[in-house]
Amino acid sequence: SQKIEQNSEALNIQEGKTATLTCNYTNYSPAYLQWYRQDPGRGPVFLLLIRENEKEKRKERLKVTFDTTLKQSLFHITASQPADSATYLCALESGGKSTFGDGTTLTVKP
Amino acid sequence: ETGVTQTPRHLVMGMTNKKSLKCEQHLGHNAMYWYKQSAKKPLELMFVYNFKEQTENNSVPSRFSPECPNSSHLFLHLHTLQPEDSALYLCASSQDLGQGWGNQPQHFGDGTRLSIL
């Protein structure tokens, strides 16, 4: 069966460190993978999109990798700040439908 | 400030009531979506509209009835809901589906928190 798994439900790190979040998928062949941020009581906010022929994408302190052999995407936040605390969702398209992972809640402690 | 506005933000209704959720986007997009987000569960896609035409109904029970009168507005009509329908209902929009869903970011509203008594 098709499945998207984000590495852990919660991740706690110290301010200034790099946060690394994982999105693994099985039985999908996505052409694109997206990452979103969601704060409590708010809707998800788009962060980055990466295509299957791209290995890496960067935006300011954010970096996403996409390994179609491992069926995995990694999402990195460098020099993390308490304001980066939120739930991060990965999403992919397969067969014209969008499917989201259940998210990883990141807490950055000062 | 979000370009996608959802009203109401909170709704409490009985199982026999009829209510509607409204979504409006000011981004000039042509694709609109309804999602359900329950506690500890991933976002579930419910309906997709592209240029006012429904292109996806993800096996949603008929007690949920969507309406898309134009590319800027999307409604979700609710009737005879069940307690398990209590959730956050999110609306989203994207440019259009011409190049596939995944090639474009989706812009979400802040949702309607629905509670069924």
Side-chain angles (χ1 to χ4, degrees):
Chain A
S1 63
Q2 295 178 317
K3 193 188 297 185
I4 300 175
E5 289 183 317
Q6 295 193 236
N7 58 323
S8 59
E9 197 171 311
L11 180 64
N12 299 313
I13 64 168
Q14 207 65 37
E15 182 177 9
K17 301 292 186 184
T18 296
T20 298
L21 286 67
T22 305
C23 178
N24 294 300
Y25 58 92
T26 54
N27 294 322
Y28 287 103
S29 297
Y32 313 97
L33 193 143
Q34 301 181 358
W35 283 89
Y36 289 80
R37 168 185 172 140
Q38 186 173 22
D39 291 284
R42 307 296 300 272
V45 174
F46 172 78
L47 296 174
L48 282 167
L49 178 156
I50 188 165
R51 297 174 174 77
E52 61 178 341
N53 60 350
E54 296 175 317
K55 297 294 184 187
E56 182 179 297
K57 202 84 169 278
R58 291 175 184 262
K59 179 182 175 182
E60 298 172 352
R61 294 185 296 112
L62 309 180
K63 184 177 86 171
V64 171
T65 62
F66 193 10
D67 189 325
T68 55
T69 301
L70 292 178
K71 295 188 181 296
Q72 179 182 80
S73 175
L74 299 179
F75 177 81
H76 306 272
I77 306 175
T78 58
S80 60
Q81 304 166 0
D84 295 326
S85 298
T87 297
Y88 292 85
L89 310 173
C90 68
L92 54 82
E93 176 192 17
S94 181
K97 295 184 182 182
S98 59
T99 304
F100 282 78
D102 50 11
T104 296
T105 298
L106 172 68
T107 302
V108 181
K109 299 185 177 181
Chain B
E1 183 180 343
T2 179
V4 179
T5 304
Q6 291 188 244
T7 54
R9 289 297 312 277
H10 301 273
L11 179 62
V12 179
M13 57 187 285
M15 291 168 58
T16 58
N17 291 158
K18 289 184 180 181
K19 295 286 185 182
S20 295
L21 310 185
K22 179 182 175 182
C23 175
E24 183 174 2
Q25 56 96 1
H26 308 277
L27 301 169
H29 290 164
N30 294 299
M32 296 188 78
Y33 312 76
W34 279 117
Y35 286 89
K36 175 183 179 182
Q37 189 173 36
S38 305
K40 305 293 185 184
K41 285 188 172 182
L43 278 168
E44 298 173 53
L45 180 65
M46 299 174 71
F47 302 103
V48 181
Y49 280 81
N50 194 41
F51 291 95
K52 302 190 298 177
E53 298 297 319
Q54 188 180 119
T55 59
E56 184 74 35
N57 176 339
N58 203 22
S59 303
V60 180
S62 59
R63 58 185 183 268
F64 294 91
S65 175
E67 179 190 1
C68 189
N70 55 61
S71 291
S72 299
H73 293 86
L74 186 64
F75 295 89
L76 188 62
H77 304 298
L78 316 171
H79 64 97
T80 323
L81 295 192
Q82 305 299 308
E84 62 266 27
D85 297 324
S86 297
L88 181 67
Y89 288 85
L90 290 160
C91 171
S93 70
S94 66
Q95 188 58 51
D96 59 57
L97 297 179
Q99 297 181 44
W101 168 87
N103 194 29
Q104 303 166 28
Q106 291 189 41
H107 297 257
F108 285 83
D110 286 333
T112 295
R113 173 69 62 186
L114 177 65
S115 298
I116 306 300
L117 300 178

